[in-house]
Amino acid sequence: MEVAVRVVQAACTLCQRVQDALLLPASASGSVHSKLDRSPVTVADWGVQAIVSWLLSDCFQDENISIVAEEDDETLSSSDGAALLESVVAAVNGCLIEAPKYGLRSPEKELKAHDILQAIRRCSSIGGPKGRFWVLDPVDGTLGFVRGDQYAVALALIEDGEVVLGVLGCPNYPMKKEWLNYHQRYYRLMSKVSPPTPGSWHRGCVMYAHRGCGQAWMQPLVHDFGKLDWRNSREVRVSTVSDPLSATFCEPVEKANTSHTFTAGLAHSVGLRKQPLRVYSMVKYAAIARGDVEIFMKFARAGYKEKIWDHAAGVVIIQEAGGVITDAGGRPLDFSRGVFLEGLDRGIIACSGPLLHHRIVGAVDASWNSSTL
Ligand SMILES: Nc1ncnc2c1ncn2[C@@H]1O[C@H](COP(=O)(O)OS(=O)(=O)O)[C@@H](OP(=O)(O)O)[C@H]1O
Ligand SMILES: [Mg+2]
Ligand SMILES: [Mg+2]
Ligand SMILES: [Mg+2]
């Protein structure tokens, strides 16, 4: 857990630098690429995958460490990927040189392009029911990332098909949700507006949990881990609200990723009255775990298969913080069947407690057949 938290802290620094550069007016639009499914990928996605892979292998002295992760090295290895690869190499070395600040080791010499491609390629495990492997989404919510909005770095460990630990780095999700306004102004103005409480303000946080502890934790995102006392971590807990009238639900921003119409119908039928909060990435899971919202729902289009890296870290954090997360049939998400959440029934529902969860699962059953999903 300690290694995983340190590694995610370091990875978040890389992301913040890349995002800041991306948002500068002079930034080259060429730094965002399109994958075959037309989803975006950036220097940060590859960069984080490379440093997490390199640092985990280094910490555990294991060249053959097993990692399931989202990205591959195909574009970077292609003949027209040279300039992009160069940017990834620079971002990775710029971050790894600071590894000692996070209590981690820097490489003896700067990594070369082929070391970085190898680190990315090493994350090619395919998961499954037996043994132990890491699961990484280097940048979850890449769309939010390129838009200067929310995104997450998500790292989990799976043992014999069960998520045993999860770490969620949320670089733009401050320790207190009231500070989000400050953050938005920061981006709008890109100027030095003074922080709400000098010294105590942090742009982001890292949340983590270990299966079976019944506790989940949050610490500020830092740029010098030496200054961070583990006692700065504080326990997070889900909301105690169970009355739908006072509950808020969150969901993906893009209607291509979930049916906003179906969730609006569900919300109405269970008596939710507040506007949904649409947020990019697993920050939605972080928001449930620490009690900022009560419900998360996602109903992807038929045929879309959810991937384990989009959920593993967030699921264990929600559960240990006291929440409930299942598919729409009320069954646990199954991380034991490879890179996909095979057998997922219709959609995903996470709640701060069993009462709200039960009502929503019931509402899905009542309205599913008349929906167009
Ligand atoms: N068609 C479709 N349906 C459902 N889900 C999809 C789909 N396509 C992609 N994805 C996955 O969604 C991840 C982003 O989820 P978000 O909650 O951030 O979505 S949103 O941008 O707020 O709408 C996103 O993760 P990242 O690629 O890591 O950003 C994808 O794994
Ligand atoms: Mg993702
Ligand atoms: Mg991703
Ligand atoms: Mg992606």
Side-chain angles (χ1 to χ4, degrees), residues 290-302:
R290 72 180 205 192
D292 290 349
V293 297
E294 284 74 27
I295 299 161
F296 162 72
M297 306 189 254
K298 178 178 181 184
F299 293 88
R301 61 169 164 74

Side-chain angles (χ1 to χ4, degrees), residues 162-163 168 211 238 250 281-282 284-286 288-289 294-298 306-308 310-335 341 344-345 347-358 360-361:
E162 294 275 344
V163 186
L168 215 43
R211 170 162 310 279
V238 291
C250 63
S281 81
M282 255 182 278
K284 293 184 277 295
Y285 288 11
I288 300 250
E294 284 74 27
I295 299 161
F296 162 72
M297 306 189 254
K298 178 178 181 184
E306 297 284 352
K307 287 120 183 165
I308 56 174
D310 281 322
H311 308 282
V315 165
V316 66
I317 293 170
I318 287 184
Q319 288 172 332
E320 297 304 313
V324 184
I325 175 160
T326 68
D327 67 14
R331 275 184 294 274
L333 308 189
D334 185 354
F335 291 93
L341 289 177
L344 186 90
D345 183 358
I348 298 176
I349 298 167
C351 291
S352 52
L355 280 174
L356 282 171
H357 186 263
H358 184 74
I360 294 175
V361 170

Side-chain angles (χ1 to χ4, degrees), residues 189-204:
L189 305 170
M190 270 296 178
S191 68
K192 302 272 179 284
V193 277
S194 45
T197 42
S200 68
W201 186 77
H202 292 276
R203 205 169 124 185

Side-chain angles (χ1 to χ4, degrees), residues 35 45 70-71 137-142 309-310:
K35 298 208 263 193
D45 301 68
E70 180 181 357
E71 309 304 340
D137 194 338
V139 176
D140 180 47
T142 306
W309 53 73
D310 281 322

Side-chain angles (χ1 to χ4, degrees), residues 37 255-259 298-306 346 373:
D37 63 359
K255 59 178 188 294
N257 291 349
T258 187
S259 169
K298 178 178 181 184
F299 293 88
R301 61 169 164 74
Y304 179 78
K305 285 165 89 172
E306 297 284 352
R346 293 167 289 181
L373 291 173

